[in-house]
Amino acid sequence: MTDLFAPLQSLKQGDWFKLICGASFQHLSAVRNLTLAYTLAGADCIDVAADPAVIAAAQAALLVARTLARDAQKRGFDYKGNSPFLMVSLNDGEDPHFRKAEFNPTECPTDCPRPCERICPAQAIIFNNKKEDFSGVVSEKCYGCGRCIPICPYDIIYTSSYVTTPGAIAPLIMSTGVDALEIHTQVGRLAEFQRLWQAISPWADQLKVLAISCPDGDGMTDYLKAIYDLIAPLKSALIWQTDGRPMSGDIGDGTTIAAVKLGQKVLAAKLPGYVQLAGGTNSYTVAKLKAMGLLKEAEGSFAGGRGEEFSPLLPAKSSPTSIAGVAYGSYARVLLSPILDQLENKEVSNTNIKATVRLEEDDVLLWQAVELAHSLVSQIKSQQER
């Protein structure tokens, strides 16, 4: 089995780990550093915004990770230089993952306690930043969680949403070397999904993974079956991503329950492919899956079906009986935020141009970040190490 298909083996083994940087998250230095830390910690997939600059930042981190493979192994991390898949996220209509918070800071009363600033997990809301002379929402940091909206005492925060332009998809996939694609959809949007798929399908064969992300809703099972009928047959692996409580994993352990319940619902639908959790996932998720018997045992069969010969080149064609993996978004990012914050506060001066220190340029912070990332990645990877 070549390194090229190592992530596919993880899917079939049931220990797939995906990092979600955020479909609207365009903070390039953070994307780069998150990608580097989680790659060295053993992630199988890095999911980023469909933005050429963001994709380039993630790809740069993947190249750096390869140069650090030997150091990672010496430190006890099971990273052998094989790159995780790089995935981009698209949407077929309005979706909370594809929006930004906005407000006019001049409308904020001076005596406002600014709860929005305190609650923002991305630290995207700032007031009177002396270094940048800025107040408001830092657009590239905002990933659309929406927690600031209901907490604003003056109801002046709103969101701007955007929808993928189908004509821009194919050139993006072709020109950037993306391995995988995720489509965010919702029940009742089959016509919109079909339009997007028609724009993508001529180039779908070059993808290694296609993921469909859909929140729960009335008629969800029938909707997913209709999507499968529309996209089949596929040469790539197919993942059904259960979006339990979007962008909520850092709130508390209880948020993972919705993702697990939705995972059970999709498993019961017996759709071909793999089922992967997202939306509310955190440090509690794997323990919950283990307790409920929803993860494969190390000696268990692969998702391709009992008795099927394992081949990383072939997608699963039968219905899964267990969860193939977990995707972590807000929780994974917040877990590393203390280290990323330290990097942001360290600047190097080069011909009077200041730039944020890259993670690999600070050896101590680098391996602290990898250790933290590994504490999350290893929870599901330990399934196959026992």
Side-chain angles (χ1 to χ4, degrees):
M1 220 270 299
T2 64
D3 288 344
L4 180 63
F5 297 104
L8 292 182
Q9 186 183 36
S10 294
L11 268 179
K12 294 200 173 192
Q13 289 176 168
D15 64 351
W16 162 274
F17 180 102
K18 184 174 86 168
L19 167 70
I20 303 173
C21 288
S24 295
F25 190 61
Q26 294 158 310
H27 192 216
L28 299 184
S29 61
V31 169
R32 191 183 192 279
N33 292 331
L34 285 165
T35 299
L36 178 58
Y38 278 96
T39 296
L40 291 172
D44 296 296
C45 184
I46 309 294
D47 185 355
V48 301
D51 179 321
V54 175
I55 293 169
Q59 288 174 326
L62 296 179
L63 291 175
V64 172
R66 289 192 173 192
T67 70
L68 295 169
R70 184 170 295 180
D71 287 346
Q73 292 167 32
K74 288 180 179 178
R75 293 172 182 267
F77 301 110
D78 189 29
Y79 171 70
K80 299 179 176 61
N82 48 297
S83 292
F85 288 162
L86 186 58
M87 174 181 284
V88 297
S89 288
L90 311 172
N91 57 327
D92 63 8
E94 286 208 12
D95 187 282
H97 298 88
F98 297 81
R99 66 181 183 181
K100 301 280 189 182
E102 295 182 12
F103 67 91
N104 183 350
T106 63
E107 297 179 1
C108 298
T110 55
D111 60 348
C112 178
R114 298 169 181 169
C116 59
E117 185 178 24
R118 294 195 303 273
I119 203 170
C120 179
Q123 298 178 320
I125 298 177
I126 57 177
F127 289 90
N128 302 319
N129 182 285
K130 295 179 180 179
K131 185 169 63 174
E132 304 293 339
D133 189 26
F134 176 81
S135 293
V137 179
V138 182
S139 180
E140 63 268 23
K141 287 187 176 182
C142 176
Y143 55 81
C145 70
R147 296 179 210 172
C148 56
I149 298 170
I151 205 169
C152 174
Y154 299 97
D155 196 29
I156 63 171
I157 302 177
Y158 59 97
T159 60
S160 293
S161 300
Y162 61 94
V163 180
T164 303
T165 304
I169 304 309
L172 179 69
I173 294 172
M174 292 179 65
S175 63
T176 57
V178 168
D179 302 295
L181 184 66
E182 179 170 289
I183 300 177
H184 289 256
T185 188
Q186 293 181 25
V187 177
R189 290 215 298 240
L190 191 61
E192 292 88 342
F193 182 95
Q194 186 172 16
R195 281 197 294 271
L196 180 58
W197 182 247
Q198 285 174 343
I200 298 166
S201 57
W203 293 274
D205 285 354
Q206 73 185 63
L207 298 172
K208 299 183 181 74
V209 173
L210 174 69
I212 306 297
S213 180
C214 185
D216 201 0
D218 291 338
M220 185 196 71
T221 297
D222 289 338
Y223 181 64
L224 295 184
K225 289 179 178 177
I227 284 181
Y228 181 76
D229 290 341
L230 199 157
I231 63 178
L234 284 174
K235 288 188 177 180
S236 65
L238 175 61
I239 294 175
W240 302 102
Q241 176 167 290
T242 65
D243 200 6
R245 284 185 59 185
M247 299 172 284
S248 66
D250 58 305
I251 295 175
D253 289 347
T255 62
T256 201
I257 301 299
V260 173
K261 286 184 176 179
L262 189 52
Q264 289 178 297
K265 183 175 180 178
V266 177
L267 283 173
K270 299 188 180 302
L271 291 159
Y274 303 97
V275 178
Q276 171 228 277
L277 301 191
T281 52
N282 48 41
S283 62
Y284 179 70
T285 305
V286 171
K288 182 69 174 176
L289 290 172
K290 288 180 179 178
M292 297 177 69
L294 291 174
L295 285 177
K296 286 185 178 68
E297 296 295 331
E299 69 276 13
S301 64
F302 291 120
R306 292 187 182 277
E308 179 181 334
E309 182 180 355
F310 171 71
S311 171
L313 297 170
L314 298 175
K317 294 181 175 61
S318 63
S319 304
T321 57
S322 55
I323 298 298
V326 182
Y328 299 85
S330 56
Y331 182 82
R333 297 190 296 266
V334 170
L335 185 63
L336 265 61
S337 61
I339 290 173
L340 301 190
D341 290 346
Q342 289 184 62
L343 284 173
E344 275 203 40
N345 293 328
K346 293 180 66 174
E347 291 184 334
V348 291
S349 182
N350 183 13
T351 62
N352 297 322
I353 299 175
K354 291 192 174 183
T356 303
V357 177
R358 293 172 173 174
L359 184 57
E360 70 270 19
E361 295 169 348
D362 188 312
D363 199 59
V364 173
L365 290 181
L366 167 64
W367 297 111
Q368 286 179 358
V370 177
E371 185 68 45
L372 280 172
H374 186 259
S375 70
L376 187 58
V377 176
S378 62
Q379 289 183 16
I380 194 162
K381 292 298 180 183
S382 65
Q383 279 294 105
Q384 301 303 324
E385 294 170 0
R386 288 183 289 115

